[in-house]
Amino acid sequence: MKNLIPELVILLSSFSLLITGVFSKTFNKIINYIIIVLLAALIFVVYFNFASSVTLFGNSYTIDPLSNFMKTLVLISVLFTMLISNTYLERLKIAKFEYPIILLLSTLGMFVMISANNLIVFYLGLELQSLCLYVLAAINTKSLKSSEAGLKYFVLGSLSSGLLLYGCSLVYGFTGSVDYSEIAKVATEQSGALKFGLVFILCGIAFKISAVPFHMWSPDVYEGSPTSVTTFFAMAPKVAAIAALIKFLNVPYANFISEWRTIVIVLSIASMFLGAVAAIGQSNLKRLMAYSSIGHVGFILAGLAIATPQSLSAVLVYLVIYVFMNIGVFACIMSLNRNGVYFENISDLSGLSKHHPLIAICLTILTFSLAGIPPLAGFFAKFYIFLAIIQQKIYYLAVVGLLSAVIAAFYYLRIIKVIYFDAAKESYEKNSNYGIKFSLIFSTVVILFYFIDPSTLNTIVESITKNIK
Amino acid sequence: MIAHALIFYLLSSITILSSIMVISSKNTVHSVFFLILAFVNVSCLFIMIGAEFVGMILLIVYVGAVAVLFLFVVMMLEGNFVKVKQGFLQYMPFGFFIALVIFFELIIIIGSWQFRPEFIKTAKIAYDVKETNTVQIGKLLYTDYFLPFQLSGIVLLVAMIGAILLTFRRRDNLKRQDILKQSSREREDSIELVDVESNKGVKVND
């Protein structure tokens, strides 16, 4: 029971907040603060139970250091999303009280996904979180683009869920069990059918993390949904899906490593390359971030494909740094508003250095980090991944990774050029929102000073990954 | 046994034929009727293998609720589906190609399954003939599958909240009846006695 506290608190608080929200009109204004406090408290709860390792509900739900780590990361990204998006929602008049509740329920879905030790529970968690995401994408009912984003995401997402379910049914049909550890026992023999199941399930998960060739939805959905929702999309669902993927590949399919390694490497190379090349022509910042996240997912998948404890540690470190970089960049995008209109084009960044030097410096540091320039955190994230790849002597993967990092540096540097060297435009509203300021400065400081003490994170992560297999 | 086989083949061929008719009939209302026919036949098939609970649920939920809802939607939409049909014909060869690929994949899979009986050994669902399967499903749902059961409840709740959130709009320019306001209205609120001076009249608000 003690180990289920985060899930139960999220569930029960979202129910009670929902009921209160229906009956009380003044509640709208404080519900965001209640949930922010709640999430911050939950981070501590998860942190204090960090080392616990149990399986619950007849071996279908595991809580271990890996899942606690991922849950903390999800909680951090949801917390900062809420901090950043407070004024944005009010300005756009979409600050309905259901919005943070849907966000909470989606977090619950991610928790279930992360902890699932059984195909049914995994699928239900996935469906719970994506159903919430479909609603969030379409939440701005006044905007045509938002509705389009929601519909597109819903249709393609259901298709991918269908593929995933088909894969699950094949796996169940040939192993006679949906339990991960039971599947692992039976899956020792070389069987063709289990590979089919693997491929279908991988397709479903690749869609959720927008790996190429299942990335089509992501630029449109990122652009169309409200920026606060895009912030959420860029971080939390990816963390959860990667956690589920780590578990799925290394528990039930641990004996199939030579089979799935090829698939994951193909996904990884395609994502790294497309993320770098397709972003060059973009003029919208949110679309650019979509392609940037596709590229980053490519690097994460490269780490997953190696599947040594060292590379999995690299993946976890990468995820942490990725989340913090995104918090900062989206906080910058959120501060580009003038008279209630939000700007989201790259050309709108010009003159930032003159009128808003703080935002300009933060954004510069963050973009350098996204590009992987030392000594910023983004460099270390990529460095660990490459180290793990080279130790396994898969050189071509490292070469493609390096090349795409160089290509990607071009469009990141273009942002910096626009900020500092283009003709200045009108200034934006001076930001009075402390949430955005705090998130921006906090994430920049984390990214900037990561190199002083990388070992703290590394020791935590290594203690987690050595127990995965 | 031969009667059993005959009924099985009758029901399953009707199912296949009616599902083909669902996608090929010109009138969408007819498609929905064929869909209902397919559902009814499938539920009969379930009852034949002894899964009477699933069969009945299929009847109640799919035929009773979903299909009738479909019917209403289709009758209200009344769209022009001829264009959609043309697109369908255009992509037919490609569709057949995909179907062929999947068909061969299925053959490979079923082959590997048929010739490897050790895969089926691991199935461990306890099946007790003495109890009806409603009882058995109930027992499983509230014990072994408690977590998935509750989670699917939450998924449905989210679907409901989402549907309300996206479609519900509060309109301001409507005049709504407020019974409390009406019955608590006093004479003084609405009637005012004024001494009208001659040649001046009264200024009426609103």
Side-chain angles (χ1 to χ4, degrees), chain B:
Chain B
M1 269 298 80
I2 216 154
H4 194 273
L6 271 181
I7 295 172
F8 171 78
Y9 284 118
L10 181 72
L11 289 175
S12 44
S13 53
I14 294 177
T15 311
I16 294 170
L17 282 179
S18 52
S19 16
I20 292 173
M21 288 305 287
V22 171
I23 53 168
S24 62
S25 69
K26 284 213 170 65
N27 190 331
T28 37
V29 178
H30 292 175
S31 304
V32 178
F33 280 131
F34 278 115
L35 193 67
I36 295 176
L37 186 60
F39 282 147
V40 172
N41 279 292
V42 170
S43 90
C44 292
L45 286 175
F46 270 121
I47 293 170
M48 278 181 68
I49 58 167
E52 74 273 357
F53 180 73
V54 183
M56 287 303 166
I57 283 293
L58 201 74
L59 268 190
I60 295 169
V61 176
Y62 278 88
V63 180
V66 178
V68 174
L69 204 69
F70 266 19
L71 199 60
F72 275 119
V73 172
V74 163
M75 282 168 136
M76 281 180 180
L77 276 180
E78 231 182 323
N80 184 10
F81 287 95
V82 180
K83 275 185 188 164
V84 183
K85 274 275 149 54
Q86 279 170 353
F88 175 69
L89 284 178
Q90 197 184 338
Y91 293 115
M92 190 100 111
F94 187 65
F96 263 117
F97 173 69
I98 299 277
L100 210 66
V101 171
I102 292 179
F103 179 68
F104 281 114
E105 282 179 353
L106 281 177
I107 284 181
I108 297 169
I109 288 173
I110 291 170
S112 72
W113 172 43
Q114 286 291 328
F115 300 116
R116 277 170 175 253
E118 69 268 20
F119 277 129
I120 312 168
K121 273 194 306 202
T122 52
K124 50 162 194 176
I125 296 172
Y127 183 69
D128 189 356
V129 196
K130 282 177 209 147
E131 285 175 331
T132 62
N133 58 44
T134 317
V135 175
Q136 288 178 18
I137 289 175
K139 276 184 177 168
L140 272 182
L141 270 189
Y142 287 99
T143 55
D144 291 357
Y145 292 90
F146 175 74
L147 180 66
F149 184 57
Q150 294 294 329
L151 280 174
S152 23
I154 303 171
V155 170
L156 290 179
L157 177 79
V158 169
M160 198 174 76
I161 299 173
I164 294 173
L165 184 61
L166 293 181
T167 51
F168 180 71
R169 251 164 247 173
R170 193 178 291 279
R171 291 206 181 83
D172 296 327
N173 53 357
L174 287 183
K175 293 202 168 160
R176 284 201 178 77
Q177 188 178 25
D178 189 345
I179 308 241
L180 189 71
K181 208 173 156 192
Q182 281 179 348
S183 45
S184 64
R185 193 169 150 158
E186 297 286 332
R187 186 166 174 269
E188 288 78 41
D189 296 337
S190 38
I191 296 178
E192 199 183 345
L193 291 175
V194 190
D195 286 330
V196 184
E197 291 178 46
S198 67
N199 288 332
K200 287 230 175 124
V202 191
K203 198 185 176 205
V204 181
N205 293 329
D206 300 324

Side-chain angles (χ1 to χ4, degrees), chain A residues 111-409:
Chain A
F111 275 28
V112 173
M113 255 173 96
I114 291 171
S115 278
N117 197 30
N118 170 319
L119 286 174
I120 296 180
V121 176
F122 165 63
Y123 174 72
L124 283 170
L126 185 87
E127 208 53 13
L128 180 56
Q129 68 117 6
S130 18
L131 207 58
C132 295
L133 296 185
Y134 306 146
V135 176
L136 286 178
I139 200 157
N140 190 1
T141 39
K142 278 162 269 173
S143 144
L144 207 60
K145 264 192 170 172
S146 171
S147 308
E148 185 206 331
L151 192 65
K152 204 173 248 178
Y153 194 21
F154 177 61
V155 171
L156 292 174
S158 327
L159 189 71
S160 84
S161 292
L163 286 179
L164 191 117
L165 262 188
Y166 185 46
C168 292
S169 75
L170 284 177
V171 172
Y172 174 66
F174 289 99
T175 57
S177 174
V178 285
D179 193 285
Y180 279 1
S181 37
E182 292 286 321
I183 295 171
K185 274 181 213 154
V186 185
T188 45
E189 298 151 76
Q190 291 294 308
S191 122
L194 273 178
K195 279 178 227 161
F196 277 110
L198 170 72
V199 171
F200 279 113
I201 295 177
L202 273 183
C203 291
I205 301 179
F207 177 88
K208 300 293 172 196
I209 55 174
S210 70
V212 179
F214 304 98
H215 67 286
M216 304 299 186
W217 59 277
S218 90
D220 291 342
V221 172
Y222 274 47
E223 189 192 353
S225 352
T227 314
S228 60
V229 178
T230 314
T231 317
F232 185 59
F233 279 175
M235 302 187 289
K238 297 210 169 158
V239 173
I242 297 276
L245 190 59
I246 292 178
K247 201 155 186 192
F248 178 73
L249 291 180
N250 292 303
V251 181
Y253 274 97
N255 299 316
F256 279 71
I257 180 158
S258 51
E259 268 82 24
W260 56 256
R261 178 178 271 174
T262 329
I263 304 173
V264 178
I265 284 181
V266 168
L267 287 177
S268 149
I269 287 180
S271 314
M272 287 192 289
F273 193 69
L274 190 119
V277 174
I280 292 173
Q282 303 304 323
S283 59
N284 184 301
L285 268 173
K286 278 152 81 180
R287 279 187 94 84
L288 185 93
M289 285 311 288
Y291 283 110
S292 152
S293 84
I294 292 173
H296 286 297
V297 161
F299 284 102
I300 291 171
L301 284 176
L304 276 179
I306 308 299
T308 56
Q310 196 197 2
S311 81
L312 291 178
S313 318
V315 166
L316 297 189
V317 172
Y318 202 114
L319 273 177
V320 174
I321 294 171
Y322 171 78
V323 163
F324 276 103
M325 291 191 294
N326 269 293
I327 292 171
V329 172
F330 278 102
C332 287
I333 299 178
M334 290 285 201
S335 30
L336 305 180
N337 66 312
R338 191 192 301 140
N339 305 330
V341 183
Y342 279 81
F343 294 84
E344 47 194 47
N345 282 330
I346 296 178
S347 54
D348 294 325
L349 288 172
S350 62
L352 213 59
S353 61
K354 199 173 149 200
H355 302 297
H356 308 273
L358 179 72
I359 299 177
I361 287 173
C362 289
L363 190 55
T364 312
I365 291 170
L366 291 164
T367 11
F368 270 132
S369 172
L370 281 170
I373 311 264
L376 300 166
F379 164 73
F380 287 96
K382 288 199 172 70
F383 173 71
Y384 293 139
I385 296 267
F386 284 131
L387 206 64
I389 295 174
I390 287 170
Q391 278 183 354
Q392 288 295 303
K393 300 197 170 56
I394 308 187
Y395 293 117
Y396 63 94
L397 190 57
V399 169
V400 174
L402 277 176
L403 281 179
S404 42
V406 171
I407 300 172

